[in-house]
Amino acid sequence: MHLRSCHRRPRTPRRTRTGTALRALSVLPLAALLALSACSSGGSTTTAGSAARAELAALPKATPSALVPYYRQKLSWRSCGAPGFQCATMTVPLDYAHPGAGDVRLAVSRTRATDPAKRLGSLLVNPGGPGGSAVGYLQSYAGVGYPAPVRARYDLVAADPRGVGRSEPVECLDGRRMDAYTQTDTTPDDRRETDGLVEAYRGFAEACGAHAARLLRHVSTVEAARDMDVLRAALGDRRLTYVGASYGTFLGATYAGLFPDRVGRLVLDGALDPSLAARELNLEQTAGFETAFRSFAKDCARRKDCPLGRAESEIGPRLKAFFGALDRRPLPTGDPDGRRLGEALATTGVIAAMYDESSWEQLRAALTAAIEDRDGAGLLALSDSYYQRAPDGRYSNLMSANAAVNCLDLPAAFATPEQVEQALPAFEEASPVFGEGLAWASLNCAYWPVQPTGRPHAITAKGAAPIVVVGTTRDPATPYRWAKSLAGQLSSARLLTYVGDGHTAYGRGSACIDSTIDAYLLDGTPPPRGKRCS
């Protein structure tokens, strides 16, 4: 595994927590490097919040004259995708500090409120990533899967952020080279394997720089948040109403920090902590995956079909030993392109299933096939879903955009392999099963062709309307502590807690969570302080 992304799994609407995922297992383990971009080219400013940390400062309320034409643009809608959806193209400046330096064209989609007489406005949605297609999420899930009362009163809207999906996507490796990249050993045993991993990261970065040089300096989260404000104006809304999941919470919180007076009803589900440096984020996320894995192990040990044993304490060591065996002898998969299941792809497949307990049954079956029948096809399928690899061998641009945004938003967690080696004990303590691989995965931005423009910052959004921050206690990708931290930073936040497993909470089967968020979106009533659901 090389790049981790923080992305909500779209899912089929269901009343219980035993259904299946909607999109072909779009399980995307969290982005390792997510925090606030404060680049001058993005037009953000910062002030010292305290000796311990800085805070994101709001932008001036008046729109600069050079940006007025962007804010006044009219979107030309056309039918697209499934019936009921419309698409348009929006233009934003490549560089907000120099609007005349060129433009970026963003793909936008919407589905209209089903009860126009009671329409409240637009509701912008983002599933995370960075690199997840919001347009794809809207058209495959949110536009039909959000609660009917919400769809009745809002136009649901999505825009692929700059560099993502249909919005001038960052492209790095073709399918063949991406196949090789995803199979690179991320638990090197010697200097030769370490050099191979470094070369893989370096090659990926160089390819991104060669194919997307113009855009790479302008895909920060701050710039994407500014784009959302242009979209708000183009839609005719005075305030932004928004549901962001996973990385989408960072995007939404950044918007609130820049434009606190334009905050409407914001839901930040599966929250990130923008005040943390990359290494802290990576280490705490590693512990989050360990928490989720222990939940899986406890469940697996109670089941007759668990291929890792019947004692909870032995499941982690047995899985680690299985990964080690694959490092020495990969398994056949029946893949038409000849890929075999090595340690890297198998680890990715297991982590992918940690996102949702409804995937645990599939994971048990895949592990059983691999361990007992030496058939790696099931774990390969889980890994392919993580990387968004299609059966024809093509990949979406999610992983390319993921790196482009992450490596711009924060300085790299590690600059050299030696720094990773020094940090290995801490990562392995955080997760005996996944720690080593996740530590080495944190090296990916060290060789990026564009210097980072952001630093860790707190976001207070003073003066904003109430914002609902949602945290799940055993979330693997965005640990619950992050939700508590973000809620503590935002001056108007209300923390809503889901006591349970999986990544994000809204629309995942908890009537308590769903009704609380629906009431906020429809009536503007935030949850009471300290509200917990299970």
Side-chain angles (χ1 to χ4, degrees), residues 134-148:
V135 170
Y137 174 74
L138 174 71
Q139 295 185 359
S140 66
Y141 171 67
V144 295
Y146 264 38

Side-chain angles (χ1 to χ4, degrees), residues 26 31 95 130 169 217 252 392 401 437 498 503 509 528:
S26 176
D95 183 347
R217 291 177 175 81
D392 63 3
Y498 175 67
H503 182 41

Side-chain angles (χ1 to χ4, degrees), residues 9 63 67 80 86 159 198 209 219 232 270 303 373 461 525 529:
R9 288 185 63 179
T63 301
L67 297 180
C80 65
Q86 298 176 314
V198 167
V219 292
R232 173 202 58 77
R303 298 181 182 274
D373 303 326
T525 305
R529 298 187 185 281

Side-chain angles (χ1 to χ4, degrees), residues 151-206:
R151 289 185 286 114
R153 305 197 64 189
Y154 284 102
D155 295 344
L156 296 188
V157 182
D160 280 350
R162 51 177 64 204
V164 173
R166 307 174 196 184
S167 295
E168 301 196 18
V170 173
E171 303 285 358
C172 299
L173 303 179
D174 61 22
R176 180 183 58 81
R177 293 183 67 192
M178 194 68 184
D179 278 347
Y181 182 65
T182 61
Q183 294 177 73
T184 306
D185 187 351
T186 52
T187 56
D189 299 317
D190 52 35
R191 179 53 55 185
R192 180 183 62 82
E193 291 187 352
T194 300
D195 291 345
L197 180 59
V198 167
E199 285 308 306
Y201 288 148
R202 196 187 305 276
F204 184 90
E206 290 174 353

